[in-house]
Amino acid sequence: MKTSIPKAYDPKKVEDAIYEQWESSDLFKPDSSATGKPFTISMPPPNTTGILHIGHAMFVTLQDIMTRYARMNGRKALWLPGTDHAAIATESRVDKDLIDETGKSKHDLGREDFLKKVHAYIKDSQGTIKNQIRKMGASCDWSRERYTLDEGLTRCVQEVFIKMYNDGLIYRGNRIVNWDPKMQTTVSDDEIEYVEKKTPFYTFKYGPFEIATARPETKFGDKYVVMHPDDKRYAKYKHGEQFEADWINGKITATVVKDESVDPEFGTGVMTITPWHDTADFDIAQRHKLDREQIIDLNGKLLDIAEEFKNMEIGEARPLIVEKLKHKGLLIKTDNEYINKVATSYRGGGIIEPQIMEQWFVNVDKPARTWKGKKRSLKEISIDAVKSKDIDIIPSRFKKTYFHWMENLHDWCISRQLYFGHRIPAWFNKNDKTDIKVGIQSPGKEYEQDQDTLDTWFSSAMWTFSTLLDEPKKDDTIDSWIKRNKILGTDLATFHPTNVLETAYEILFFWVARMILMTTYVVGEIPFKTVYLHGLVRDKQGRKMSKTLDNGIDPLEMTQKYGADATRLSLVIGTTPGNDTRMYEEKIAGYRNFVNKIWNIARFIIIYRGGTRKFDEKTLADKWIESRLQNLIKEVTNHYEQFEYSIAGEKIYEFLWHELADWYVEISKQQDHTLAPQILLEAIKLLHPFTPFITEEIFQMLKKEKLVDSKDEWLMTSTWPKAQAKIIKPKIENDFSALQELITEIRDLRATYHLSYSQKLNAVVTTKKYKKLFQDQELVVEALTKVKIQVLPSKPVKREEFIRAHTSHFDVFIKLSAKKFKQQSQRLSIEKEQLEQYIEVLEKKLANKEFIQNAPPDIVELEKKKLQDAQNKLRKL
RNA sequence: GGGCGCUUAGCUCAGCUGGUUAGAGCGCUACAUUUACACUGUAGAAGUCGGGGGUUCGACUCCCUCAGCGCCCACCA
């Protein structure tokens, strides 16, 4: 045997070269000649800080599958890539590196110099992640790549800010925010992690009351005691009543406040409040218009009010304060087993200290835009977009989560005290703090720009449309800019709303919800039609992959070792949307074997390159495999449409390996079965979105060997297979006696040739005898289905025996299970009987006049429907 | 405190709106091998679908309940 085709497929030799050819041939750009509807996916922009991890590999694979499928179906498919500046993540990363290297922090460097460092860092890492996405085979249009901080997007962010400000949706408010003393910035609610920690829990005497706290250091200024209005124990104290109490630094005049948020069951049912440093207390203070006072400064140190403890760190002061109170005889007890949830910054790791600060907020409750004929708030529009099914979420259970979150949405704090990010386009009058102007240009010398930058998610929220806008004109507002794009028919007009947003369920709130909120408001249309949420990739034990555990699987190492195709398959097959999945090397190795199997089918076909038989002389095996293929095309296409990629992949896998390789290719060793190249071609088209590299490579090989006749230059841009309409109609009607004969024959054959090894019956049917009846294998299938015998592609019998016995008239295998057949017919008759009984009962019931007259009409209807259903089912049997 | 999810073969997981025999991959057992492929083939063993109750002619599937595990949200001082 002479061939240069190696026995094992080597992805390393193939993948990069193919990717380069695709890219240089501009195949990733939406084809302007495509006649189908546009199809768009905005790639969730990975952080610029990152290297590709398995989670990225997951989304790259899924989105690539969607895009390639759409492209092969003739749609103008655009997958728009980009990166995100990830303000807080990047800034803390660069700052940390800086401190490690030079001992200086970003504040030592100052804004300008620090930003230079950041940009240098970004430039470096941006390239890395992009190349890694390429390695996975992503067919995204790099010519349209965007970055959240590039000029156009920055302008878009600024214009949207201005529009929202002018609409009164952005306001400057004095509210309690999560302050990170370590990073010196506010942190969004979503970026906080509550870490459980054992903290001593003290009970102190406070006037006539006992109050409990885990944070005595915040209590200096406490001058309100709050209790539930219905708490009988404290009924004698009236709301607003005042009393004197000895406290940390001497006498204090305290006021009684009654508020329903207090849980009488917890502790003593009485508490004092610290509105400046506690969100709950802040709310109570808001409700009753109470005084509030700052106790702790922005560096986490105590202020003047603490007197002797002034300038102390919290941790340092706490035991001393407790000691002082103990001396005064005010400490009643200490609970050392108390578990407190400490708010910690998800990014920086520092402990969050709530503070009241002036910040920019987005008002989510103010009527903002006309939506479906009514002026509604951002919150209402966002809820409606999903309720009305304009946007669908897969899996649907996340809709509930989405509504729950949206309904409880508070105003969104969007300012951050960071250097890196979009600088807020607001200007403060140096002489008059109440004079604030909003705009891109400075309104005059006496103004200076807000030092703060915007929350990363504020810009990410615009991702679907900001990336599609053209260059802005000098005096564009966001409205004029969008309008012009729509009129000119630019990318925004063509590709927005996008079709699918594919992302991890983790960021449903961070991102998905905010995109819906922002896009509906700014553009007046939904950002995407379908949200497809994938789960987390965990390790084999189900743990999260993390650096500290060192249990991560590096997708690049895997592509190096097993190929991108195998890695992709392992990420999609066996996973379901919204559920976490476990990843381990053996799994990838398994799919590498499958990829190699396909390679060897092709190798076989090329080496033994077909026979002399013409295509119109199809054997039953040919017809069989063809009909199986038709079936596959139908099923798989359907699964693709339903976003059921795991099932689609499994079915193609099953077909290629167990039907085409194990069965059709096996028996074609005995006879020419020249259809193999065509069948293989169609099957690899179906598989192409999953495993783009091997399928393209095989296509090119088959073409080169002239084994397939295709006008397409690339498999990637070839047309999706269409299932043929059924041509052959079975003509046999009631010839069950012939069928019986056939079954007897099958059993005889089994006995004669010892064809089975256990209860299963492997049978070989010759068509000679039944030629007239079963001219076509389809008819055999049809006939056997009528008596409920399942017809499957058979596992061949031992080769020697089967060759000796049947070489001349072997045509098709039919595998029957004797046991199953028996069980089935039994079950069938039982089922029939049951149904008949049931129908009888229902009929009697419906014939009963008393029942008809007395029962509620809907019940009668229901019974009627039940009867109909049962009758239908019986007919089917 | 509210909400959501998971529990199916030794392991990792499919199983959609209730209806043929509960499936796959890996692993395991036996056999095969001048073979397109050992990254192989054939055959096989292995599951009271977490427990209990209910609805139904019929439940892995729907409802209730209990148990274990996990996640998200929330202002328990």
Side-chain angles (χ1 to χ4, degrees):
Chain A
M1 174 198 350
K2 50 175 179 32
T3 175
S4 57
I5 304 168
K7 286 184 171 189
Y9 167 66
D10 184 3
K12 282 201 287 293
K13 286 193 182 137
V14 173
E15 293 182 349
D16 288 352
I18 288 187
Y19 193 89
E20 222 161 84
Q21 288 171 27
W22 283 335
E23 197 177 357
S24 60
S25 308
D26 281 346
L27 301 188
F28 300 154
K29 295 182 184 171
D31 183 2
S32 54
S33 71
T35 50
K37 284 183 292 181
F39 177 89
T40 322
I41 294 181
S42 296
M43 181 187 290
N47 292 357
T48 40
T49 53
I51 39 163
L52 191 88
H53 58 68
I54 198 85
H56 295 129
M58 177 91 159
F59 87 61
V60 167
T61 305
L62 280 164
Q63 291 168 34
D64 197 38
I65 289 174
M66 294 175 190
T67 309
R68 285 178 187 271
Y69 172 73
R71 189 182 291 120
M72 288 175 81
N73 276 281
R75 300 184 67 171
K76 242 188 258 261
L78 170 64
W79 182 19
L80 194 145
T83 44
D84 187 82
H85 66 286
I88 194 161
T90 312
E91 182 151 330
S92 60
R93 176 66 195 273
V94 176
D95 192 32
K96 191 175 165 286
D97 288 353
L98 193 69
I99 293 167
D100 288 351
E101 280 163 34
T102 64
K104 285 182 182 171
S105 79
K106 62 183 183 189
H107 298 292
D108 300 326
L109 237 65
R111 185 176 208 118
E112 295 305 313
D113 287 337
F114 180 75
L115 283 180
K116 274 183 200 159
K117 292 255 175 214
V118 176
H119 292 307
Y121 171 81
I122 293 255
K123 218 176 167 190
D124 212 40
S125 57
Q126 230 172 10
T128 317
I129 193 139
K130 282 192 289 195
N131 280 326
Q132 291 169 335
I133 290 173
R134 282 184 163 86
K135 287 265 180 213
M136 293 303 302
S139 65
C140 48
D141 183 357
W142 294 106
S143 71
R144 282 182 168 84
E145 184 197 345
R146 300 304 294 265
Y147 171 47
T148 44
L149 272 182
D150 70 26
E151 236 172 86
L153 265 68
T154 303
R155 176 73 183 274
C156 181
V157 167
Q158 290 167 335
E159 294 296 345
V160 169
F161 186 96
I162 294 164
K163 176 181 163 73
M164 292 182 96
Y165 181 79
N166 291 338
D167 282 355
L169 291 178
I170 285 182
Y171 65 92
R172 191 120 176 105
N174 226 339
R175 300 195 45 155
I176 194 152
V177 294
N178 309 301
W179 177 257
D180 182 347
K182 201 170 145 195
M183 301 263 311
Q184 290 288 305
T185 179
T186 52
V187 172
S188 82
D189 289 348
D190 312 308
E191 285 163 332
I192 291 179
E193 217 174 17
Y194 288 89
V195 180
E196 289 201 347
K197 216 173 160 185
K198 236 186 213 179
T199 318
F201 190 62
Y202 309 100
T203 306
F204 297 115
K205 191 168 157 42
Y206 186 86
F209 301 102
E210 288 179 8
I211 57 132
T213 182
R215 303 201 54 192
E217 71 276 8
T218 63
K219 297 280 162 205
F220 289 102
D222 287 11
K223 53 181 180 177
Y224 299 101
V225 282
V226 190
M227 62 212 71
H228 198 278
D230 300 336
D231 196 330
K232 286 187 186 118
R233 288 171 294 180
Y234 308 110
K236 63 174 175 170
Y237 300 98
K238 298 277 170 290
H239 180 80
E241 186 179 331
Q242 297 200 324
F243 62 92
E244 297 249 305
D246 186 24
W247 196 225
I248 311 172
N249 293 327
K251 286 252 181 299
I252 204 162
T253 305
T255 311
V256 173
V257 173
K258 304 260 178 171
D259 191 277
E260 295 190 342
S261 68
V262 179
D263 176 8
E265 305 291 315
F266 186 85
T268 55
V270 186
M271 64 179 189
T272 63
I273 58 167
T274 316
W276 201 283
H277 299 293
D278 188 291
T279 37
D281 296 357
F282 178 83
D283 285 348
I284 294 172
Q286 287 280 84
R287 272 198 289 277
H288 301 283
K289 299 198 170 63
L290 308 177
D291 297 340
R292 10 192 231 209
E293 194 170 1
Q294 188 173 9
I295 316 292
I296 301 163
D297 73 6
L298 298 185
N299 296 311
K301 289 187 175 157
L302 290 166
L303 289 164
D304 292 352
I305 189 170
E307 294 179 12
E308 60 191 277
F309 303 100
K310 186 184 164 184
N311 281 335
M312 277 192 193
E313 299 262 353
I314 294 162
E316 190 187 349
R318 186 180 296 175
L320 299 175
I321 296 166
V322 173
E323 196 54 33
K324 185 171 180 186
L325 284 164
K326 196 177 169 187
H327 261 286
K328 287 186 157 196
L330 295 175
L331 177 65
I332 296 164
K333 66 177 179 195
T334 308
D335 176 3
N336 285 313
E337 295 304 306
Y338 182 72
I339 291 171
N340 198 18
K341 283 181 192 153
V342 183
T344 316
S345 163
Y346 183 71
R347 300 282 177 198
I351 292 176
I352 300 296
E353 187 65 65
Q355 294 274 4
I356 295 177
M357 295 179 82
E358 279 239 290
Q359 301 288 341
W360 292 103
F361 289 89
V362 170
N363 187 330
V364 295
D365 291 311
K366 186 180 167 171
R369 170 184 257 284
T370 308
W371 185 262
K372 295 191 179 163
K374 241 178 144 182
K375 192 144 188 182
R376 295 178 203 223
S377 70
L378 298 182
K379 194 194 262 187
E380 287 166 341
I381 298 172
S382 304
I383 291 170
D384 179 78
V386 177
K387 271 221 167 104
S388 65
K389 299 197 175 129
D390 292 334
I391 298 174
D392 191 25
I393 300 179
I394 298 172
S396 60
R397 75 181 127 91
F398 281 98
K399 281 182 204 165
K400 273 187 229 165
T401 328
Y402 173 83
F403 291 134
H404 185 254
W405 187 80
M406 265 297 171
E407 275 151 17
N408 293 306
L409 190 64
H410 297 299
D411 283 5
W412 170 18
C413 176
I414 52 171
S415 41
R416 297 287 179 274
Q417 289 65 47
L418 295 172
Y419 290 154
F420 186 48
H422 299 101
R423 189 96 175 252
I424 293 174
W427 307 80
F428 301 130
N429 189 328
K430 287 179 225 169
N431 309 315
D432 177 7
K433 280 190 176 172
T434 57
D435 179 16
I436 300 171
K437 295 235 165 25
V438 165
I440 295 174
Q441 301 302 326
S442 169
K445 274 183 190 158
E446 65 277 26
Y447 291 89
E448 67 178 352
Q449 189 171 7
D450 191 338
Q451 292 295 319
D452 291 354
T453 49
L454 287 162
D455 181 10
T456 311
W457 300 106
F458 188 79
S459 56
S460 316
M462 303 166 201
W463 187 247
T464 60
F465 65 88
S466 63
T467 51
L468 291 169
L469 285 163
D470 66 358
E471 291 250 325
K473 295 271 183 295
K474 208 181 157 213
D475 39 303
D476 262 334
T477 63
I478 188 69
D479 290 334
S480 70
W481 191 4
I482 288 172
K483 199 175 166 192
R484 197 184 59 243
N485 271 268
K486 287 280 178 192
I487 291 168
L488 293 179
T490 61
D491 277 1
L492 184 75
T494 313
F495 296 110
H496 202 273
T498 65
N499 293 77
V500 183
L501 181 84
E502 196 287 322
T503 193
Y505 67 76
E506 281 181 299
I507 54 173
L508 180 65
F509 306 137
F510 284 100
W511 195 39
V512 181
R514 287 187 176 140
M515 282 171 107
I516 296 174
L517 185 137
M518 191 69 93
T519 313
T520 48
Y521 162 69
V522 179
V523 191
E525 60 190 31
I526 51 169
F528 31 71
K529 290 167 194 140
T530 307
V531 178
Y532 181 104
L533 298 168
H534 66 250
L536 245 64
V537 183
R538 296 170 175 277
D539 75 355
K540 198 172 184 178
Q541 279 92 50
R543 300 171 303 180
K544 254 187 177 172
M545 291 190 182
S546 73
K547 275 181 198 155
T548 43
L549 278 171
D550 195 30
N551 58 347
I553 285 189
D554 177 7
L556 292 162
E557 196 189 318
M558 294 300 114
T559 50
Q560 191 67 19
K561 216 164 160 185
Y562 302 105
D565 289 333
T567 311
R568 289 167 62 115
L569 283 170
S570 70
L571 284 163
V572 180
I573 298 187
T575 67
T576 39
N579 289 329
D580 294 352
T581 176
R582 298 184 189 199
M583 181 53 54
Y584 43 93
E585 218 174 312
E586 297 93 301
K587 198 166 164 182
I588 306 171
Y591 288 109
R592 186 267 321 266
N593 297 353
F594 169 58
V595 169
N596 195 52
K597 192 74 182 178
I598 312 171
W599 175 260
N600 274 290
I601 299 172
R603 186 167 183 265
F604 172 86
I605 291 171
I606 291 170
I607 295 172
Y608 296 93
R609 49 173 52 243
T612 48
R613 212 158 38 77
K614 291 193 180 113
F615 291 147
D616 50 3
E617 297 167 359
K618 282 177 192 165
T619 64
L620 282 185
D622 291 337
K623 289 185 182 173
W624 169 259
I625 198 78
E626 264 192 330
S627 86
R628 295 298 298 159
L629 178 73
Q630 293 305 318
N631 190 38
L632 182 76
I633 294 171
K634 236 183 286 168
E635 282 183 352
V636 165
T637 306
N638 199 24
H639 290 306
Y640 269 101
E641 291 293 332
Q642 305 294 318
F643 299 93
E644 294 163 348
Y645 301 112
S646 178
I647 309 174
E650 263 176 54
K651 289 204 165 147
I652 308 167
Y653 177 102
E654 166 73 19
F655 177 82
L656 274 167
W657 198 323
H658 301 298
E659 296 197 46
L660 189 62
D662 290 348
W663 186 75
Y664 187 76
V665 165
E666 273 312 309
I667 62 169
S668 56
K669 287 173 184 169
Q670 275 73 53
Q671 289 194 354
D672 284 343
H673 289 283
T674 47
L675 277 186
Q678 265 70 28
I679 302 287
L680 180 64
L681 173 62
E682 298 293 289
I684 60 173
K685 275 188 186 175
L686 297 176
L687 192 64
H688 176 80
F690 288 85
T691 61
F693 292 115
I694 177 101
T695 48
E696 185 71 73
E697 176 70 6
I698 288 176
F699 175 67
Q700 299 301 339
M701 273 163 48
L702 292 178
K703 255 183 70 154
K704 204 173 128 208
E705 300 283 342
K706 301 212 164 40
L707 279 163
V708 295
D709 181 29
S710 172
K711 280 172 209 142
D712 295 312
E713 195 177 343
W714 302 98
L715 189 71
M716 185 186 146
T717 46
S718 66
T719 323
W720 193 254
K722 265 213 173 74
Q724 288 162 8
K726 242 190 186 170
I727 306 162
I728 314 149
K729 281 259 155 52
K731 290 196 180 74
I732 59 155
E733 292 290 30
N734 294 314
D735 206 340
F736 282 84
S737 60
L739 211 57
Q740 280 304 317
E741 231 178 286
L742 172 68
I743 291 161
T744 318
E745 169 104 349
I746 290 165
R747 293 204 170 126
D748 289 350
L749 280 168
R750 176 192 170 203
T752 315
Y753 298 109
H754 308 286
L755 293 180
S756 81
Y757 301 101
S758 70
Q759 78 271 39
K760 276 191 185 164
L761 176 66
N762 285 317
V764 177
V765 182
T766 72
T767 48
K768 271 196 172 167
K769 192 166 181 185
Y770 299 100
K771 204 167 185 181
K772 207 175 141 216
L773 185 58
F774 306 121
Q775 278 164 349
D776 195 286
Q777 163 268 332
E778 279 248 21
L779 298 189
V780 178
V781 176
E782 188 78 20
L784 292 178
T785 318
K786 280 206 170 167
V787 285
K788 294 281 172 187
I789 296 172
Q790 270 191 336
V791 184
L792 302 165
S794 161
K795 305 283 155 86
V797 289
K798 280 191 173 184
R799 191 176 300 130
E800 300 163 47
E801 284 180 277
F802 129 75
I803 293 168
R804 241 182 278 130
H806 293 288
T807 315
S808 54
H809 43 226
F810 160 78
D811 262 317
V812 69
F813 289 123
I814 295 178
K815 178 179 173 182
L816 297 176
S817 161
K819 186 182 159 199
K820 284 179 178 177
F821 175 56
K822 204 171 150 198
Q823 278 179 349
Q824 188 181 329
S825 50
Q826 272 174 1
R827 285 184 70 129
L828 216 70
S829 64
I830 292 167
E831 224 175 292
K832 257 189 181 165
E833 223 171 282
Q834 275 180 343
L835 263 176
E836 277 161 6
Q837 276 174 13
Y838 181 44
I839 289 169
E840 220 178 282
V841 170
L842 281 175
E843 275 172 344
K844 262 188 199 161
K845 205 170 179 185
L846 285 167
N848 186 342
K849 276 179 195 165
E850 252 177 70
F851 171 73
I852 300 286
Q853 280 163 4
N854 297 328
D858 52 327
I859 296 280
V860 179
E861 276 312 304
L862 198 75
E863 297 293 306
K864 276 184 187 166
K865 200 176 166 292
K866 276 186 187 170
L867 179 64
Q868 241 175 27
D869 284 353
Q871 283 168 339
N872 283 339
K873 270 174 189 165
L874 187 66
R875 227 168 288 142
K876 272 186 198 164
L877 299 172

